[in-house]
Amino acid sequence: MIENVLHSAIIMTTPVLLAALGGLINRVGGLVNIGLDSMMLAGALIGLILASQTGSWGIALVGAAAVGGVLGLLMSLCVTRLSANEIVVGLGFNILIAGLVRFFLKSAYGTSGTLSLPDVARLPRIDIPVIADIPYLGAILSGHDPLTWAAWLMVPVTVWFLRSTRLGLRLRATGSAPEAARALGLSPLTLRDASTIFAGLMAGLAGAYLSIGVVGLFNEGITAGRGFIALAAFYFGRNRPWLTAAGALLFGFFDALQIRLQGRGVPAELIQTLPYAMVIVVLTLMALAVRRARAKGA
Amino acid sequence: MSAAAVPIPASRFEAAAMVIAPLVLAFAGAALLLAVAGHNPFEVYQLLVVESFGGTRRIAATLAAATPLMLTGLATAVAFRAGAFNVGVEGCVYVGGLAAAYVGFTYVGLPAPILLPLALLAGLVVGSLWMLIPGVLKAKLSVDEVVTTLMLNFIAISLTAYLVNGPLLAPGSANSATPVVDAAARLPRLMPPSTLNAGFLIAVALLVLYWLWGQRTALGFETRLAGLNARFATASGINVPSLIIKMMLLSGAIGGLAGAVHALGNVGRFVSGFSPGYGFTGIAVALLGRGSALGIFLAAILFGALSASGATIQLFSDVPIEIVNILQGMVMIFAVARFGWTFGKKRRAA
């Protein structure tokens, strides 16, 4: 039971982690991405279609990332070049893409809501020979797919990118002091566009993970609001990659636990509220800490 | 993050263009999509107009569909007026709807003149309390209300789902629904057999009050001032934090009332998946209506017409009803975008 929960917690974490790291980079660049869920949804659909038509999960991932990136670009252009409010555009994207996806399913496949295709190339599992037999550790480390490994590898890469690369520094400058960044000859808007495209790529991959990694079919409710959980994760992590990953893992754990506990008297719906409630608590504690620090300084 | 969501028009011409442009762009975009999918957009739009306004019965259906949207649009607008961006009206619809339904099926036997107002009041109060935490956090600690209210939506949906699957589940009924409310708690129908009910009158009355309040009262003026420029408002002696809390509570109350009207007027109980996104559509309504009472009324009727006719055109043609969501999403995006005259200029400071 415990090994099962641990294993599925890692699986449930992967899509949230991917989208959350994208959203983190986006937020560091100065844009809070509320449209992650729509990019996940589009990625899940395109990923499944490509995995069925080409028989290659690699092409499916590339396609899913591309469609997420394009949506990210469109969303970013609305915000950076047309001065649209990012929250409204994000919510608008969620409504629009959900509608487009269902419209497309009906028009192209004549189905409503669920799409099941033949010969879907699923993500392969990587079993690690010796570790697989070690209790607990085997459940955590073995039997996962390449995308899960890539997601976790992205955590230190994101740390390194933000801390040690020129581009990461510029992105941070863009987000925290756009005027100063502009004075230095950078183009904050272009950097912000790039960070939103990246968020879209990651969310597209997260979506593909759900369709060709977890279940092997597409459903209009496949993201189950995980784009918003990702938002909760990077708010919880306060823009720090490892803390964001910890947040994603916590949510993945709740998700896995909730499925396990179903029918055992623990209401799944109440567990589902925990990640969101945690974000409110964390934001409150942070604000209290800021106020205390300010009171001391004054 | 809660910087001006709606661009402020410079002239009357610009103001008119800002209302019409998003509609034209959205309908043009959807027309293109319909054409690509093999439908004749002109026929579809004609059908939409006929199905939503062609005849008394259809107009009644449109107004019925517009009723909750007038309330959620108004709820969004009142918070927005004070500079608080409340995206949590959807959650208020859920908790308010459940509270109203609870009173309606629990205190059976009370006469309608007592039970109905009591049930409406329950929705109003619970909706208002639901916004207490984000309101206080925003006013006292500057905690971003967009995040807190967004999170509260998911909490409200899950929490009510828990209640109607467990403690409040109708005995012997299918999953996820409360018992039906007492007949005395139902909002009277205005034009049977359509579902248009007294909730419509409540919504219109509130919009009129909102208009009077904004035009004629000091609080309305102060609120607008605080929303336009919080620092200036503070300098002129207005207590902005207390104003924000008040407006968030008012916003939640109206959102809760929207849920109560939906429960007591349309559904007759609380069911899971209670709101088809009324709170989110309300944001589009408030934006398109530019926060004015008449604008909210008209925008709500537009979206009401789309959803009422969308359901029927799907029955008689093969046009997917999703075209309604597509239009709605595009209207929302285009309503906050500034075209042409600011292109390439550095406007965003944040």
Side-chain angles (χ1 to χ4, degrees):
Chain A
M1 154 99 185
I2 294 172
E3 290 209 327
N4 269 335
V5 171
L6 288 177
H7 190 79
S8 47
I10 302 280
I11 291 173
M12 294 306 184
T13 301
T14 303
V16 176
L17 179 58
L18 286 166
L21 288 173
L24 183 156
I25 289 289
N26 211 177
R27 185 165 176 235
V28 168
L31 194 147
V32 174
N33 193 328
I34 299 216
L36 287 174
D37 210 66
S38 69
M39 296 161 199
M40 280 175 85
L41 192 66
L45 179 62
I46 299 298
L48 183 81
I49 293 172
L50 286 176
S52 165
Q53 290 196 336
T54 68
S56 152
W57 57 268
I59 295 177
L61 290 185
V62 171
V67 74
V70 169
L71 288 178
L73 175 65
L74 288 176
M75 185 175 145
S76 197
L77 290 177
C78 288
V79 176
T80 59
R81 314 293 158 154
L82 299 176
S83 308
N85 178 283
E86 62 201 28
I87 308 300
V88 178
V89 171
L91 291 171
F93 260 72
N94 288 326
I95 295 171
L96 173 63
I97 304 300
L100 276 175
V101 160
R102 275 181 278 137
F103 186 92
F104 174 75
L105 282 181
K106 271 187 196 162
S107 305
Y109 291 94
T111 67
S112 60
T114 304
L115 180 65
S116 175
L117 294 173
D119 311 318
V120 171
R122 304 278 300 269
L123 294 177
R125 283 164 46 125
I126 303 171
D127 290 309
I128 306 173
V130 180
I131 292 174
D133 301 326
I134 303 172
Y136 302 114
L137 199 64
I140 294 171
L141 290 179
S142 184
H144 290 295
D145 53 277
L147 203 51
T148 297
W149 284 101
W152 283 97
L153 189 67
M154 279 304 290
V155 183
V157 168
T158 306
V159 174
W160 167 79
F161 169 77
L162 287 176
R163 192 183 291 164
S164 314
T165 66
R166 182 186 282 249
L167 194 61
L169 188 71
R170 288 181 171 180
L171 193 67
R172 281 192 291 156
T174 293
S176 54
E179 304 296 332
R182 200 176 295 118
L184 288 172
L186 304 174
S187 168
L189 297 188
T190 307
L191 279 169
R192 197 167 287 160
D193 287 338
S195 76
T196 319
I197 293 172
F198 178 75
L201 293 175
M202 295 290 276
L205 287 176
Y209 185 83
L210 291 170
S211 63
I212 67 172
V214 181
V215 284
L217 52 81
F218 177 84
N219 183 292
E220 61 173 294
I222 195 165
T223 65
R226 284 195 180 83
F228 294 100
I229 295 269
L231 180 86
F234 68 74
Y235 260 97
F236 173 82
R238 287 173 280 155
N239 287 359
R240 293 179 197 171
W242 281 111
L243 209 54
T244 298
L249 190 61
L250 204 57
F251 304 151
F253 180 73
F254 281 136
D255 222 357
L257 197 66
Q258 175 243 124
I259 295 167
R260 277 276 138 191
L261 292 178
Q262 264 170 25
R264 288 171 192 245
V266 182
E269 296 95 341
L270 288 186
I271 297 178
Q272 279 163 3
T273 64
L274 287 176
Y276 304 113
M278 261 162 44
V279 169
I280 297 179
V281 170
V282 167
L283 286 179
T284 308
L285 293 177
M286 271 166 57
L288 283 172
V290 166
R291 191 163 78 164
R292 204 165 300 149
R294 229 180 251 158
K296 253 182 207 164
Chain B
M1 190 152 111
S2 51
V6 183
I8 297 161
S11 66
R12 187 164 291 200
F13 167 75
E14 206 179 329
M18 279 175 158
V19 175
I20 294 165
L23 288 177
V24 171
L25 284 168
F27 276 91
L32 197 67
L33 191 71
L34 285 167
V36 169
H39 306 283
N40 181 342
F42 297 103
E43 275 174 24
V44 174
Y45 287 164
Q46 202 182 350
L47 204 58
L48 278 174
V49 174
V50 171
E51 286 299 327
S52 43
F53 298 107
T56 328
R57 194 177 52 81
R58 286 171 181 150
I59 292 175
T62 293
L63 294 181
T67 301
L69 300 178
M70 288 180 197
L71 291 168
T72 55
L74 181 60
T76 310
V78 294
F80 189 64
R81 213 178 164 100
F85 201 163
N86 182 6
V87 293
V89 175
E90 180 79 355
C92 298
V93 171
Y94 272 83
V95 295
L98 182 60
Y102 176 79
V103 170
F105 70 72
T106 306
Y107 301 102
V108 280
L110 287 175
I114 297 172
L115 185 59
L116 179 58
L118 206 63
L120 288 172
L121 189 69
L124 194 136
V125 169
V126 171
S128 183
L129 288 176
W130 194 249
M131 283 296 111
L132 182 65
I133 291 175
V136 169
L137 287 179
K138 156 93 175 165
K140 302 283 180 193
L141 292 172
S142 312
V143 174
D144 195 329
E145 79 282 10
V146 175
V147 184
T148 50
T149 54
L150 190 66
M151 297 297 140
L152 277 171
N153 283 337
F154 298 105
I155 296 176
I157 292 170
S158 293
L159 190 67
T160 54
Y162 158 72
L163 289 171
V164 296
N165 276 319
L168 301 180
L169 180 66
S173 108
N175 261 357
S176 316
T178 67
V180 177
V181 299
D182 191 43
R186 295 298 299 256
L187 282 160
R189 295 261 164 105
L190 297 179
M191 293 171 65
S194 92
T195 55
L196 184 65
N197 59 66
F200 174 71
L201 302 178
I202 296 176
V204 171
L206 281 180
L207 281 173
V208 171
L209 277 178
Y210 172 68
W211 176 74
L212 285 173
W213 173 79
Q215 296 290 316
R216 306 286 156 97
T217 65
L219 183 67
F221 178 72
E222 287 177 3
T223 308
R224 187 152 51 173
L225 205 59
L228 287 176
N229 189 337
R231 210 179 286 172
F232 177 72
T234 308
S236 14
I238 296 169
N239 185 347
V240 175
S242 127
L243 204 60
I244 286 176
I245 295 179
K246 275 185 209 154
M247 298 316 284
M248 283 293 276
L249 292 180
L250 184 61
S251 173
I254 300 170
L257 190 63
V261 163
H262 188 47
L264 307 174
N266 299 333
V267 192
R269 48 161 60 175
F270 185 93
V271 293
S272 83
F274 179 69
S275 160
Y278 285 142
F280 296 118
T281 313
I283 299 173
V285 166
L287 289 169
L288 189 64
R290 308 249 137 205
S292 85
L294 182 65
I296 293 168
F297 180 78
L298 294 176
I301 288 185
L302 173 75
F303 284 116
L306 283 174
S307 70
S309 58
T312 45
I313 65 162
Q314 201 181 17
L315 287 176
F316 303 122
S317 72
D318 57 346
V319 177
I321 190 177
E322 282 70 33
I323 198 71
V324 172
N325 300 68
I326 291 167
L327 281 166
Q328 190 184 314
M330 283 198 289
V331 165
M332 227 163 137
I333 294 164
F334 293 138
V336 290
R338 297 189 65 141
F339 294 96
W341 50 89
T342 54
F343 202 89
K345 268 190 240 165
K346 46 162 195 157
R347 261 201 75 258
R348 255 184 79 90

